[in-house]
Amino acid sequence: NAGVTQTPKFQVLKTGQSMTLQCAQDMNHEYMSWYRQDPGMGLRLIHYSVGAGITDQGEVPNGYNVSRSTTEDFPLRLLSAAPSQTSVYFCASSYNPQDYEQYFGPGTRLTVT
Amino acid sequence: DAKTTQPTSMDCAEGRAANLPCNHSTISGNEYVYWYRQIHSQGPQYIIHGLKNNETNEMASLIITEDRKSSTLILPHATLRDTAVYYCIVRVGNNAGNMLTFGGGTRLMVKP
């Protein structure tokens, strides 16, 4: 198993541009989520999904959209990038929403200028 | 979910036990204690979790006080590869959002 994969590893955007961060898992996990981590801080939940076709907002959802058309993929869309969205983004998954162990991807480092 | 308090940083000599404390004085009866760690520039990694009994796995041991207001993560023989930020998280077991609330964590430096 590749586990949780994220692309790209690094990305630089200009203010106002849009882009999609990709996340995929091959463990047949129902639950997937996106976190952001600002320098020197812990992770904050952006959006999550408990299964294909179901998504919900986390702690900091503004400026981001998600969709879950398949079990494997959970892309995160930045609609109009802002410097405040400069961060490292982590995708995570677990077998079900109550699972105690979540598996994290390697992260995408995003800079918005 | 209950708030946790951890020391900002700790040092440990290689080969010695690393004992990382966590205070969670407002923990509720249905909240579990989880530990994750984050090695530099990587995604967080699950270590261990418990409700009220002490737990041990291949990575670490978790000691929870009888009143459940604090806990200690023990790495029995720390190596240089254990240098990381360690997060203590308290979470309801059936949290529908499965959200992990990460605080600042403890930066553990294992020294030769």
Side-chain angles (χ1 to χ4, degrees):
Chain A
N1 287 349
V4 179
T5 58
Q6 292 183 237
T7 56
K9 283 186 167 40
F10 301 93
Q11 182 70 49
V12 179
L13 290 178
K14 294 188 187 317
T15 297
Q17 287 185 316
S18 62
M19 80 158 293
T20 299
L21 308 186
Q22 301 291 344
C23 174
Q25 51 86 16
D26 61 358
M27 298 174 281
N28 202 31
H29 284 172
E30 290 295 321
Y31 178 86
M32 296 184 74
S33 58
W34 277 101
Y35 288 83
R36 61 176 287 175
Q37 184 174 33
D38 298 329
M41 299 188 62
L43 282 71
R44 293 183 292 169
L45 183 67
I46 304 171
H47 284 284
Y48 65 94
S49 169
V50 299
I54 306 169
T55 63
D56 207 343
Q57 297 181 350
E59 184 184 358
V60 289
N62 292 340
Y64 307 95
N65 272 358
V66 292
S67 60
R68 184 94 180 272
S69 56
T70 68
T71 299
E72 294 78 20
D73 301 297
F74 190 43
L76 178 72
R77 297 184 189 83
L78 279 70
L79 309 171
S80 177
S84 60
Q85 293 179 304
T86 293
S87 190
V88 181
Y89 292 84
F90 292 100
C91 179
S93 74
S94 62
Y95 185 69
N96 60 49
Q98 289 77 37
D99 206 358
Y100 54 82
E101 179 173 2
Q102 292 190 41
Y103 297 81
F104 283 81
T108 293
R109 187 175 298 274
L110 175 68
T111 301
V112 183
T113 62
Chain B
D1 290 340
K3 183 178 176 181
T4 61
T5 305
Q6 299 178 250
T8 305
S9 63
M10 293 180 63
D11 290 343
C12 177
E14 188 179 19
R16 304 298 292 269
N19 297 292
L20 290 88
C22 179
N23 284 325
H24 31 79
S25 59
T26 59
I27 192 170
S28 300
N30 62 347
E31 289 181 313
Y32 288 71
V33 180
Y34 293 77
W35 284 83
Y36 277 73
R37 74 179 181 182
Q38 187 173 24
I39 296 171
H40 182 63
S41 297
Q42 297 181 22
Q45 176 190 25
Y46 166 83
I47 301 173
I48 199 167
H49 78 288
L51 183 62
K52 50 185 174 182
N53 296 323
N54 297 338
E55 302 288 345
T56 295
N57 63 19
E58 65 278 4
M59 288 183 68
S61 294
L62 174 60
I63 308 299
I64 303 174
T65 58
E66 194 168 341
D67 63 7
R68 301 206 328 120
K69 293 182 186 294
S70 65
S71 60
T72 300
L73 178 75
I74 301 172
L75 307 178
H77 305 286
T79 71
L80 299 179
R81 286 178 291 183
D82 292 322
T83 292
V85 178
Y86 287 78
Y87 296 99
C88 171
I89 300 164
V90 173
R91 190 184 73 108
V92 173
N94 62 348
N95 179 333
N98 208 16
M99 180 169 66
L100 296 171
T101 301
F102 288 81
T106 296
R107 186 172 298 276
L108 176 69
M109 179 74 72
V110 181
K111 298 185 175 181

